[in-house]
Amino acid sequence: MTSPTEGHPLAAPDRDRPVASPRTAELRERAAAALARCGADPTALPGTTPLAVRSPVTGGVVAELTMAGPSDVEAAVARAHKAFLTWRTVPAPVRGALVKRLGQLLTEHKTDLADLIGVEVGKITSEALGEVQEMIDICDFAVGLSRQLDGRTMPSERPGHRLMETWHPVGVVAVISAFNFPAAVWAWNTALALVCGDTVVWKPSETTPLVALASAALLDRAAADVGAPAHLNAVVVTDVAGASPLVDSPLVPVLSATGSERMGAEVGPRVAARYGRSILELGGNNAAVVTPSADLELAVRGIVFSAAGTAGQRCTTLRRLIVHESVVDGLVERLAAAYAKLPIGDPFATGTLVGPLINARSYAAMTAALEQARADGGQVVVGGERVAVGEAAGEGDDADRAGAAFYARPALVRMPAQTAVVRRETFAPILYVLTYRDFAEAVTLHNGVPQGLSSSIFTSDQREAELFMAADGSDCGIVNVNIGTSGAEIGGAFGGEKSTGGGRESGSDAWRAYMRRATNTVNYSHELPLAQGVDFS
């Protein structure tokens, strides 16, 4: 029996490639094996600009790809548009059969995709598997949705008339995803877009192209299995300049983009200028309020996962903790004890709970934020220091260490006030602790940032919970009670307000963003009465 990577380009020896450390070589082999089992061929990518894919686990290179240019992306959009002209005429339940098959293949290759997420993002295994499960779950949701794309029937003021609305496919949906959820965000958009009758062109982060190639290969296989048209989904591995057609092309009526607030501020106006539609999921400077009646044991568990999970690199990561002054000292003591014991290390190792930061820039941003917090009078209670793990501790050769891995202990910082550094999202595991005296002050602190993605309150007081969820409570798109800010389910629409962008993905009625609405009036009489009683006789 041959190895699954035998002859695979990522596993093949390259005399010009620097000799990798043993651990990086293992990761490279692991990625190549997963790609091969999913049927992905990275040599088929268009473009000539080289791209070295590094794993944050070691900092070493695990793949070499090529990046597409603007003309390659334009060609992908044109193919997707042509496929859309056929796909939009396929009945929605038949389109659902494609997504059903995709869900089956994702289930079969769950471990393969989780391996790639672990290699490219550094997520611990349970979180990587959880991300793939989100992909499977949204496929289940979308299959049911394919039989429920319904409109309304409204009473007409004119006799012999019927008034209703219908929903139709809109065209090519561009998906720009970030490194931290390299597969799930694509699935949220693509599963819905496909059953709605749209096609997709996907630009993954240049940091995480491998899981994108594997996911796309599984969708291509699903399309072949059910007899669906080709080019319903395309992956374009490219940079900001290369992605311009996705933002500016009139053949792309919907752009779904996940990333920084700065990115959203750049692409949103460009899409609006051509009357396109944006689904933006941007920054999330999320906070939790802890009241005097809170179950502190429950709160500690929710806070630690929300703040330290994925090494603080989730859009829903808990970054601000607003605690009543009567319980803050005890809560901080418990959190500090938990933070000091967090197992930090190789995400594939049993027992690890915190893996690496994605790259050196992330660690530099974390260090700079902590320095500013201290300058603002903050006290670092625990964490913030770099942790030596594997090759970051000096193992491996110089080529790997030149792109060394960056592991850091999550930081807990008490702040005297909500200063500028607290109001600014730092995409790293820093949790700022603030105090309040009355509930109104807590809500003011909570809402006093530009972002508005996720929020939570820990309380045993039903009145406080209701006030936090009320119109004058949390101003976020996600408002939780007695759970942390992260860990959203696909059944609810995901997204936020203010500088978070205002878009919604995944469940509930988020499907409407991928369709266009038509209001229909049918006259089944022999008369022609006009609306509002107008007489034009």
Side-chain angles (χ1 to χ4, degrees):
M1 180 179 294
T2 60
S3 163
T5 59
E6 186 173 319
H8 196 278
L10 296 191
D14 184 344
R15 68 184 62 185
D16 297 323
R17 182 188 305 151
V19 177
S21 70
R23 183 61 179 134
T24 297
E26 290 174 11
L27 294 171
R28 187 183 188 96
E29 176 68 20
R30 191 170 198 143
L35 285 168
R37 287 190 292 266
C38 292
D41 180 9
T43 64
L45 286 172
T48 57
T49 304
L51 173 65
V53 181
R54 290 186 177 273
S55 171
V57 178
T58 64
V61 175
V62 292
E64 295 91 5
L65 307 177
T66 57
M67 289 202 299
S71 62
D72 301 310
V73 177
E74 287 175 358
V77 169
R79 289 190 295 268
H81 176 71
K82 183 176 180 180
F84 162 71
L85 300 179
T86 299
W87 186 239
R88 66 181 176 180
T89 66
V90 176
V94 178
R95 299 194 295 252
L98 167 60
V99 178
K100 181 178 181 179
R101 179 59 183 145
L102 173 61
Q104 292 169 344
L105 291 174
L106 292 173
T107 302
E108 292 174 21
H109 293 275
K110 185 174 182 178
T111 301
D112 293 324
L113 294 175
D115 275 355
L116 289 167
I117 293 170
V119 170
E120 288 193 297
V121 183
K123 284 189 180 181
I124 62 173
T125 300
S126 64
E127 287 192 279
L129 289 169
E131 178 170 351
V132 184
Q133 187 60 49
E134 284 191 42
M135 302 172 75
I136 297 166
D137 291 344
I138 196 63
C139 286
D140 287 345
F141 179 91
V143 171
L145 179 65
S146 68
R147 295 181 179 272
Q148 300 179 69
L149 299 174
D150 48 4
R152 298 176 178 178
T153 298
M154 291 79 73
S156 173
E157 64 187 52
R158 290 168 284 184
H161 285 60
R162 180 161 57 89
L163 191 62
M164 64 180 184
E165 64 182 25
T166 51
W167 292 85
H168 303 289
V170 70
V172 178
V173 175
V175 177
I176 299 177
S177 60
F179 79 86
N180 57 334
F181 278 86
V185 169
W186 166 78
W188 291 353
N189 286 276
T190 301
L192 297 193
L194 288 174
V195 299
C196 288
D198 303 323
T199 55
V200 176
V201 178
W202 178 18
K203 180 210 170 303
S205 166
E206 300 100 300
T207 309
T208 56
L210 302 184
V211 70
L213 296 176
S215 301
L218 294 177
L219 178 53
D220 287 345
R221 190 192 308 179
D225 289 348
V226 301
H231 307 304
L232 296 180
N233 177 78
V235 172
V236 288
V237 178
T238 188
D239 56 14
V240 173
S244 292
L246 301 182
V247 179
D248 300 325
S249 173
L251 294 180
V252 181
V254 176
L255 170 69
S256 177
T258 302
S260 67
E261 294 163 82
R262 178 188 55 77
M263 180 271 285
E266 291 177 1
V267 305
R270 287 165 59 184
V271 175
R274 60 176 177 83
Y275 303 104
R277 189 185 306 170
S278 294
I279 304 172
L280 299 176
E281 200 279 281
L282 309 172
N285 195 355
N286 314 294
V289 174
V290 182
T291 73
S293 66
D295 178 339
L296 294 186
E297 283 296 327
L298 178 71
V300 166
R301 294 198 300 273
I303 290 165
V304 172
F305 170 68
S306 293
T310 321
Q313 298 172 122
R314 288 179 177 234
C315 50
T316 54
T317 290
L318 178 61
R319 308 201 183 279
R320 296 176 298 132
L321 194 60
I322 303 166
V323 190
H324 192 270
E325 60 185 13
S326 66
V327 295
V328 66
D329 291 338
L331 180 60
V332 168
E333 184 178 345
R334 294 183 189 211
L335 290 172
Y339 268 47
K341 293 186 293 186
L342 282 173
I344 301 167
D346 189 312
F348 290 101
T350 302
T352 296
L353 291 181
V354 180
L357 294 171
I358 191 66
N359 54 32
R361 285 196 310 276
S362 292
Y363 181 70
M366 180 178 183
T367 300
L370 291 175
E371 289 176 355
Q372 184 60 56
R374 290 188 184 97
D376 292 344
Q379 175 196 358
V380 178
V381 179
V382 65
E385 71 274 13
R386 190 172 175 187
V387 178
V389 175
E391 291 166 17
E395 300 173 15
D397 63 15
D398 290 338
D400 273 356
R401 291 205 303 276
F406 289 84
Y407 294 79
R409 183 164 299 282
L412 184 67
V413 186
R414 293 194 68 162
M415 294 296 294
Q418 189 155 264
T419 61
V421 72
V422 180
R423 296 180 71 251
R424 181 178 67 246
E425 181 186 35
T426 299
F427 216 63
I430 302 174
L431 179 60
Y432 300 108
V433 182
L434 304 161
T435 59
Y436 76 94
R437 290 185 177 182
D438 60 66
F439 192 78
E441 181 187 3
V443 173
T444 299
L445 280 170
H446 177 278
N447 294 346
V449 296
Q451 309 84 2
L453 178 54
S454 186
S455 60
S456 71
I457 185 170
F458 290 92
T459 182
S460 296
D461 186 325
Q462 183 68 22
R463 182 177 286 105
E464 288 178 331
E466 295 292 340
L467 287 170
F468 193 67
M469 293 186 290
D472 54 352
S474 167
D475 61 3
C476 292
I478 299 169
V479 186
N480 297 331
V481 177
N482 289 328
I483 61 172
T485 55
S486 59
E489 299 182 30
I490 58 93
F494 182 89
E497 299 299 322
K498 302 193 294 186
S499 67
T500 296
R504 293 297 185 272
E505 300 168 310
S506 191
S508 185
D509 64 349
W511 61 271
R512 294 174 183 236
Y514 305 88
M515 304 197 82
R516 60 179 177 86
R517 184 196 324 236
T519 301
N520 314 126
T521 304
V522 178
N523 179 4
Y524 56 89
S525 73
H526 293 288
E527 306 298 326
L528 192 65
L530 301 179
Q532 293 86 44
V534 173
D535 184 357
F536 205 68
S537 60

